[in-house]
Amino acid sequence: MKVKCLIIGSGPAGYTAAIYASRANLAPVLIEGPQLGGQLTTTTEVENFPGYPDGVEPFTMMDDMRRQAERFGTQFVSGIVTKVDFSVSPKKVIVEDEIEYEADAVIIATGASAKYLGLESERTYRGRGVSACATCDGFFYRKKTVAVVGGGDTACEEASYLAGLCEKVYMIVRKPFLRASAVMQDRVLNNPKIEVLFEHNTLQLTGEGKVQGADLIYRKGEPDEEQRHIAIDGFFLAIGHHPNTELFKDYLKRDAEGYILVDGDSPRTNVPGVFAAGDCADPHYRQAIVAAGSGAKAAIEADKYIKSL
Ligand code: NDP
């Protein structure tokens, strides 16, 4: 099927691109993957997206965006993109190994996924004390006790941010040192509200219907190995993200982490007519509002590109 503009991804970047592209008469087709609404839907409430003064449930917000795109004629297709060919013009995008689209412009908004430890209890309490975004969810833990897992810059940043809100913050670090930059380490180690638990790993989370504690193991496998329990209300993962960009690796330039490289402040990739928006190209901000803004930019650029053909 031939389309003018094809959008891959159903988070804030994808839906915003769809709103703009459909209002520009590009009749976009948006491919929605298995996580409708994207990463945002793993959180409980959104309070920092302008336009919702009383906060909003993430599913409601994403459904609002989707309906807004639908209103202007976006066509939604449910499925996983299994193959692309950006070496040809129009570009080819294949969904579920079956349906082949040819598109003048493609907007990639496939997002990034937070890494989790892989514990069963982590899944049980997802959205009920387990979070991978302190900026999104920290506010719900005001004056409470939380733990942050990880020893990199993100973990230090999240721990510092949470220390501004919470009574106490544990950092659970698997090595005897922090990997973070010196300045971030100093900030964490000199904050009286933060206690760094070096050489600790998490065994499981505990609690009645929500996170109330964590069982940890200190120096696993060593003669002085010891199990410990900490009482916590929130458990924040900060062990890294991975952008969902594997599919494009043969065509698009990416950084060492896999984030798609774009031309300066624009959403243009190294392939003319292919644009990247949202977290798949943003290792820094990872905010819904930023993703939405870049989705708008991508649609505007796609429109310009199509008109130039
Ligand atoms: P990093 O990969 O730098 O750090 C991940 C941390 O998580 C490490 O301490 C790692 O431990 C730990 N970790 C990974 N897997 C596990 C696991 N299974 N169990 C326990 N701990 C685990 O990721 P970040 O997200 O922190 O940073 C990504 C990039 O972004 C970095 O280059 C960073 O410098 C940059 N960044 C910069 C910021 C700034 O400058 N303000 C802010 C945020 C990020 P270990 O050390 O043992 O491997």
Side-chain angles (χ1 to χ4, degrees):
M1 189 190 297
K2 170 75 178 33
V3 297
K4 281 191 207 165
C5 177
L6 191 121
I7 300 164
I8 311 172
S10 54
Y15 285 147
T16 307
I19 292 166
Y20 274 72
S22 47
R23 293 187 79 253
N25 280 341
L26 300 185
V29 168
L30 184 147
I31 315 289
E32 302 178 302
Q35 193 180 12
L36 260 194
Q39 263 192 98
L40 197 69
T41 56
T42 61
T43 184
T44 35
E45 197 182 351
V46 182
E47 290 185 332
N48 55 6
F49 201 94
Y52 293 99
D54 302 317
V56 60
E57 257 209 56
F59 283 106
T60 307
M61 186 174 110
M62 296 318 298
D63 193 50
D64 284 350
M65 285 193 195
R66 190 180 189 278
R67 285 190 296 119
Q68 198 170 347
E70 195 170 31
R71 179 180 152 207
F72 296 109
T74 300
Q75 194 194 322
F76 298 97
V77 172
S78 165
I80 293 173
V81 174
T82 44
K83 199 167 182 284
V84 297
D85 185 352
F86 294 158
S87 68
V88 290
S89 215
K91 283 97 195 144
K92 281 191 184 154
V93 174
I94 295 156
V95 178
E96 303 284 1
D97 290 322
E98 262 181 18
I99 317 163
E100 183 174 307
Y101 289 91
E102 288 185 327
D104 290 328
V106 176
I107 296 174
I108 299 169
T110 47
S113 307
K115 292 182 191 161
Y116 285 82
L117 295 172
L119 305 172
E120 201 179 314
S121 51
E122 222 174 18
R123 280 189 290 278
T124 312
Y125 299 114
R126 184 94 50 106
R128 283 181 289 154
V130 173
S131 167
C133 179
T135 325
C136 323
D137 295 333
F139 194 66
F140 303 113
Y141 298 91
R142 270 169 302 165
K143 301 204 174 7
K144 298 196 170 169
T145 298
V146 298
V148 176
V149 190
D153 279 321
T154 301
C156 290
E157 214 168 64
E158 307 250 295
S160 303
Y161 175 79
L162 288 165
L165 298 167
C166 303
E167 184 76 32
K168 182 176 176 79
V169 180
Y170 290 105
M171 278 185 78
I172 304 170
V173 179
R174 64 181 174 183
K175 294 224 174 98
F177 55 85
L178 294 168
R179 174 201 286 244
S181 54
V183 60
M184 292 307 291
Q185 292 196 28
D186 283 352
R187 202 168 294 170
V188 157
L189 296 170
N190 292 315
N191 189 322
K193 281 195 180 171
I194 302 175
E195 181 179 341
V196 184
L197 302 174
F198 287 109
E199 295 186 84
H200 281 74
N201 278 289
T202 312
L203 293 175
Q204 64 163 348
L205 300 169
T206 58
E208 298 271 321
K210 59 178 184 179
V211 171
Q212 291 173 320
D215 290 331
L216 309 179
I217 187 153
Y218 171 65
R219 285 174 61 80
K220 189 170 189 265
E222 300 297 327
D224 55 349
E225 172 183 310
E226 200 186 302
Q227 280 206 29
R228 292 176 181 171
H229 180 82
I230 52 171
I232 49 168
D233 306 290
F235 185 78
F236 287 83
L237 279 306
I239 59 171
H241 282 76
H242 48 82
N244 304 318
T245 62
E246 270 301 293
L247 195 61
F248 314 111
K249 67 177 191 307
D250 292 341
Y251 304 98
L252 301 186
K253 287 191 184 148
R254 302 182 303 158
D255 72 8
E257 310 282 323
Y259 290 94
I260 296 171
L261 292 173
V262 288
D263 181 11
D265 216 11
S266 86
R268 291 188 294 271
T269 69
N270 58 297
V271 176
V274 177
F275 306 92
D279 285 12
C280 66
D282 176 11
H284 302 296
Y285 300 108
R286 299 200 280 255
Q287 298 299 303
I289 186 67
V290 179
S294 71
K297 284 195 210 173
I300 292 167
E301 289 288 338
D303 185 36
K304 246 199 288 182
Y305 173 80
I306 290 166
K307 285 193 175 121
S308 76
L309 290 176

